[in-house]
Amino acid sequence: VGPVGAWLAVTGTFDGSGPAWLLGAAVGLWIGGFDLIYACQDIEIDRQIGVHSVPARYGARFALHASTVAHVVTFALFLWFGALVGFGWLWWIGLVLTAAAFAYQHLVVSPTDLSKVNRAFFTANGFVGIALFVLALLDLVVRLGLRA
């Protein structure tokens, strides 16, 4: 809800907030996708103490597939958002890096080998957040600088 809350805080209205809702949905699915990966580490404990997480209820294979779907939809929403708001080439480079990071985290974690969950969760997602922010900011600075 961060992008939507920021929109409301800055403008005082929901008028024209479509891009914020789109970005908010993308960020929510991104978080949900990597949380599904991270939760796979706790399957046995969750089952023992009665936590009904997706991995505990349906297994690691299902959770990892659901995470992949969430990240594919996230990526599609990032594409849509970038086109909607008119981002330039730096944003699109950020999305290429994002796609690579998403692919990496889904390649290094499998239902039979969860040993690299922390690498996927902390390293790949930290990289996505920083890279996408920096490239979006640079894109904005370049585009605003070209208009001045």
Side-chain angles (χ1 to χ4, degrees), residues 91-109:
W91 168 259
W92 303 108
I93 289 173
L95 284 186
V96 168
L97 296 173
T98 296
F102 280 170
Y104 169 78
Q105 69 182 347
H106 290 282
L107 289 172
V108 300
V109 177

Side-chain angles (χ1 to χ4, degrees), residues 55-126:
R57 183 171 286 214
Y58 301 107
R61 183 170 309 282
F62 178 88
L64 294 175
H65 286 302
S67 174
T68 300
V69 170
H71 286 157
V72 167
V73 175
T74 296
F75 189 77
L77 293 173
F78 281 154
L79 287 170
W80 187 10
F81 175 76
L84 184 64
V85 300
F87 270 126
W89 63 275
L90 288 166
W91 168 259
W92 303 108
I93 289 173
L95 284 186
V96 168
L97 296 173
T98 296
F102 280 170
Y104 169 78
Q105 69 182 347
H106 290 282
L107 289 172
V108 300
V109 177
S110 75
T112 58
D113 182 8
L114 299 173
S115 66
K116 295 184 179 106
V117 165
N118 283 339
R119 187 179 301 168
F121 182 75
F122 293 109
T123 305
N125 283 299

Side-chain angles (χ1 to χ4, degrees), residues 87 90-91 130-144:
F87 270 126
L90 288 166
W91 168 259
I130 292 168
L132 204 51
F133 168 73
V134 167
L135 287 161
L137 179 62
L138 288 174
D139 186 84
L140 181 63
V141 168
V142 167
R143 286 185 298 118
L144 291 176

